[in-house]
Amino acid sequence: MATKLTQDELKKMVGYKAVDDHVKSGMVVGLGTGSTAYFAVERVGQKLASGELKDIVAIPTSIRTKEQAESLNIPLVTLDTHSRLDVAIDGADLVDPALNLVKGGGGALFREKIVEASADKFIVIVDQSKIVDALGPAFPLPIECLPFCIEHTMRNLEALPAMQGAKAVLRRGSSANNKVDGEEIAISDNNCYLVDMHFDEPIKDPVALADQINKVVGTVEHGLFVGMTTSVIIAGEDGITVKDA
Ligand code: 5RP
């Protein structure tokens, strides 16, 4: 009888496949953040150590990914020296049929977006549980905001017409990763707060919502990644499937 794969085994499958299929010697590579992207970073490190990949430089999307990459001796650069990346690989919290994403559950959405928007190819790696018919209720939409007058910014976010009455909740915890409970306000890698927007219904128009959030003074970046995805690699019980934009 076939044994059911664990969540970690599924994440490892897609993380390794993304690197095996899309990372070649000489490339500038964006390294995502989270428990799925962790395995892609691990694979890049393995292949550099074995000599299978050469002359890679990478740009991490968070402090914790930077630390993992450093521990694996992956050479790191920044967007200041390398404005174009060949490929970026990252996880997601939700993926809709148009391959629009919600990201930022791990609190790294600003660095993820600036890096992934600069990549020729953006490869998303997820397990089947992240695939939804529409963005919205299944996972809150994170928005990174400046701490100054945060309650005012949260009220303005809730008032946006495309927000559909979603409720703004200031993320708390000892880290920006919302899987850690706590009383303190969570602080991002950019010393900002994270506001999680909780939707009761599917987001009707992600493009309009992204546009409206961008105009709210006090926001730094939001976790709607619209029209950015090149391919999604999905791990399920029946194996791996790939969806191209
Ligand atoms: C971090 C992210 C992550 O990519 C997203 O939260 C998915 O994480 P995981 O692979 O651990 O489920 O956007 O800010």
Side-chain angles (χ1 to χ4, degrees):
M1 192 172 42
T3 335
K4 201 166 181 268
L5 292 172
T6 65
Q7 205 76 1
D8 264 2
E9 285 167 333
L10 295 174
K11 291 176 183 187
K12 186 171 178 175
M13 271 166 54
V14 286
Y16 278 31
K17 182 173 171 58
V19 174
D20 292 348
D21 289 358
H22 295 283
V23 179
K24 310 283 173 240
S25 291
M27 282 187 168
V28 182
V29 182
L31 302 175
T33 295
S35 57
T36 316
Y38 173 91
F39 290 107
V41 179
E42 179 177 86
R43 186 62 157 175
V44 171
Q46 275 175 10
K47 289 188 139 186
L48 275 172
S50 70
E52 208 177 322
L53 280 177
K54 292 186 174 46
D55 303 323
I56 293 288
V57 290
I59 303 182
T61 55
S62 63
I63 292 171
R64 61 185 183 280
T65 297
K66 179 172 181 279
E67 289 170 351
Q68 185 196 0
E70 283 169 346
S71 76
L72 296 168
N73 298 315
I74 300 173
L76 298 180
V77 293
T78 74
L79 287 172
D80 282 338
T81 55
H82 294 70
S83 270
R84 286 309 309 167
L85 289 78
D86 295 289
V87 64
I89 300 170
D90 202 354
D93 298 303
L94 296 176
V95 181
D96 79 4
L99 310 191
N100 296 321
L101 314 174
V102 163
K103 283 185 54 54
L109 59 109
F110 167 72
R111 294 193 189 192
E112 290 172 338
K113 195 176 276 185
I114 193 170
V115 169
E116 288 149 16
S118 306
D120 292 341
K121 287 201 287 184
F122 174 32
I123 310 300
V124 177
I125 47 177
V126 290
D127 62 68
Q128 189 68 40
S129 68
K130 309 290 185 67
I131 306 297
V132 290
D133 291 336
L135 305 179
F139 197 91
L141 171 65
I143 305 178
E144 192 162 352
C145 298
L146 289 166
F148 182 77
C149 291
I150 187 67
E151 288 176 27
H152 164 82
T153 304
M154 287 166 70
R155 281 195 296 274
N156 283 343
L157 286 168
E158 285 182 339
L160 293 174
M163 202 57 90
Q164 304 170 196
K167 177 110 192 66
V169 177
L170 187 57
R171 194 179 298 186
R172 294 181 184 271
S174 56
S175 85
N177 185 327
N178 68 355
K179 287 149 199 155
V180 183
D181 291 329
E183 287 306 310
E184 288 169 25
I185 296 174
I187 305 290
S188 75
D189 286 353
N190 313 301
N191 292 317
C192 289
Y193 289 169
L194 290 149
V195 174
D196 292 313
M197 303 301 306
H198 291 256
F199 287 80
D200 282 339
E201 336 170 335
I203 295 172
K204 291 189 184 74
D205 189 344
V207 176
L209 180 57
D211 196 44
Q212 290 176 18
I213 298 169
N214 285 337
K215 291 181 180 136
V216 175
V217 180
T219 62
V220 174
E221 196 45 82
H222 58 79
L224 277 172
F225 284 45
V226 176
M228 288 175 58
T229 305
T230 306
S231 298
V232 183
I233 305 179
I234 307 157
E237 275 311 313
D238 301 331
I240 290 184
T241 52
V242 177
K243 285 190 182 173
D244 296 319

